[in-house]
Amino acid sequence: MSPWRRFANGLGSRQNLPIVLAATLLAVAVWLPPITLQRSTYQYLVTFDVTQSMEVDDQTVAGAAVSRLAFAKAATREALRRMPCGSKVGWAIFADYRVMPLVLPIEVCENYDALLASLDRIDGKMRWANASNIGKGVTWAMRSARAIDKETRVVFFTDGQESPPLRNKDVTPPMGDITPGDVGGWLIGVGGDMPARIPRFDGDGNPIGFWAAADVVQRFGPGTPGTAHEHLSELREPHLQSLGKLLGLGYRRLAKTDVAAEAMLDPALAQPRPIGTDLRWVPALLGLGLLALRFVPDLAFARTRRQVQRQGFDSTRAGQP
């Protein structure tokens, strides 16, 4: 019998069948192309309030005090890490009453490092005014998302502090061109419950102390939404909740960094898309499993035989005079 025939007969034996199957599966794992599957994806324009109240350091990351803006960015990093491939995320900033898009939504897996690098560069030095009209800002974020395409949703991080305060609690943003719920997304409130001093910065972004009561407009009393301490800041949660209901957006409080990820991965906001999916790990894992089933028992048997031989050798030596 020729060597090749003996080799073929050996491969065809029942004992070596797992090896043949494992080799076949590993070969499939090497050459298998991406397979197109329908997957749930998401698309967001994430907007950060960069006004001065967002510089209040009443949040905590890894045991260290950080600003509200830094906390919002930390939560966004976690959300970005958990986004499924095929999803798209972009950045925008808010100050005064306008939203300025910085990065239009791009695919998260192919552009992950670029998204993180651009996110790191977002800070308070980007603000162009010290005013903060949250209601108008959110409507501008919705318009910006709608201008990108109908699949883009909104995420808006803010503490909800209007500066100057609204003249009346019933004042609503202009939304004649906005249908509540048409865009969809989240208002995410950032900040503590205790009023805290707001850092003050010069035109170059250098800190110059804190805002005082005489430096800002104070409105309080019946029919006004003011707090009588507008030079201090805390999370204005009722205001954000009412804005969310008015505009058809959900509201979440950023109590932990994973809150943003949980909100952004809401199945109700998912969009099924055909995505090329790498499934090579499936045949590779099956092949390795077959190899383990084939050789692990032999290795265990060889180990047991060596132990028995060693014990016999030791017994023989013990019986010598």
Side-chain angles (χ1 to χ4, degrees), residues 150-169:
K150 65 179 181 180
E151 296 181 341
T152 304
R153 307 293 180 246
V154 166
V155 173
F156 196 102
F157 288 98
T158 180
D159 54 21
Q161 181 157 354
E162 303 271 356
S163 179
L166 300 177
R167 294 182 179 276
N168 187 288
K169 64 180 181 180

Side-chain angles (χ1 to χ4, degrees), residues 176-251:
D177 60 333
I178 292 177
T179 301
D182 184 44
V183 174
W186 296 96
L187 277 174
I188 299 185
V190 192
D193 293 320
M194 297 298 296
R197 295 190 299 174
I198 303 173
R200 190 172 186 174
F201 299 84
D202 63 17
D204 296 322
N206 302 310
I208 52 173
F210 296 89
W211 289 92
D215 298 326
V216 301
V217 176
Q218 305 280 357
R219 290 196 182 106
F220 55 93
T224 65
T227 62
H229 55 253
E230 294 300 318
H231 57 295
L232 305 176
S233 179
E234 72 278 3
L235 175 59
R236 309 293 171 88
E237 197 161 42
H239 180 47
L240 293 177
Q241 290 171 334
S242 63
L243 276 177
K245 291 179 180 178
L246 177 68
L247 299 171
L249 300 174
Y251 172 77

Side-chain angles (χ1 to χ4, degrees), residues 246-310:
L246 177 68
L247 299 171
L249 300 174
Y251 172 77
R252 291 284 183 89
R253 178 172 183 159
L254 196 64
K256 300 185 296 183
T257 55
D258 62 356
V259 169
E262 293 171 359
M264 293 171 69
L265 292 173
D266 182 355
L269 297 175
Q271 301 158 1
R273 287 196 182 108
I275 303 295
T277 306
D278 187 353
L279 295 178
R280 291 178 296 176
W281 63 272
V282 175
L285 186 62
L286 291 173
L288 292 175
L290 283 173
L291 290 176
L293 289 174
R294 170 62 183 83
F295 289 110
V296 167
D298 290 346
L299 292 174
F301 175 77
R303 188 180 302 110
T304 302
R305 185 173 61 182
R306 285 196 300 270
Q307 291 175 349
V308 171
Q309 290 174 345
R310 187 179 300 110

Side-chain angles (χ1 to χ4, degrees), residues 49-56 67-69 72 157-159 190:
D49 182 344
V50 295
T51 57
Q52 294 185 75
S53 63
M54 290 292 285
E55 302 286 356
V56 174
S67 70
R68 296 168 184 173
L69 178 58
F157 288 98
T158 180
D159 54 21
V190 192

Side-chain angles (χ1 to χ4, degrees), residues 32-53:
L32 184 68
I35 297 175
T36 300
L37 300 175
Q38 286 288 116
R39 299 185 63 184
S40 294
T41 63
Y42 301 84
Q43 185 162 319
Y44 289 105
L45 180 66
V46 181
T47 302
F48 298 93
D49 182 344
V50 295
T51 57
Q52 294 185 75
S53 63

Side-chain angles (χ1 to χ4, degrees), residues 98-217:
R98 293 294 298 268
V99 163
M100 180 183 296
L102 301 177
V103 178
L104 295 182
I106 54 177
E107 205 279 329
V108 295
C109 292
E110 294 179 0
N111 303 284
Y112 184 74
D113 291 339
L115 283 167
L116 283 182
S118 56
L119 176 63
D120 288 340
R121 292 182 176 272
I122 295 175
D123 61 26
K125 293 182 179 179
M126 291 183 169
R127 76 176 68 89
W128 55 91
N130 289 331
S132 176
N133 192 315
I134 303 297
K136 289 182 179 179
V138 178
T139 58
W140 275 109
M142 296 175 71
R143 293 185 184 99
S144 298
R146 189 176 59 193
I148 295 169
D149 59 43
K150 65 179 181 180
E151 296 181 341
T152 304
R153 307 293 180 246
V154 166
V155 173
F156 196 102
F157 288 98
T158 180
D159 54 21
Q161 181 157 354
E162 303 271 356
S163 179
L166 300 177
R167 294 182 179 276
N168 187 288
K169 64 180 181 180
D170 296 323
V171 172
T172 58
M175 47 182 295
D177 60 333
I178 292 177
T179 301
D182 184 44
V183 174
W186 296 96
L187 277 174
I188 299 185
V190 192
D193 293 320
M194 297 298 296
R197 295 190 299 174
I198 303 173
R200 190 172 186 174
F201 299 84
D202 63 17
D204 296 322
N206 302 310
I208 52 173
F210 296 89
W211 289 92
D215 298 326
V216 301
V217 176

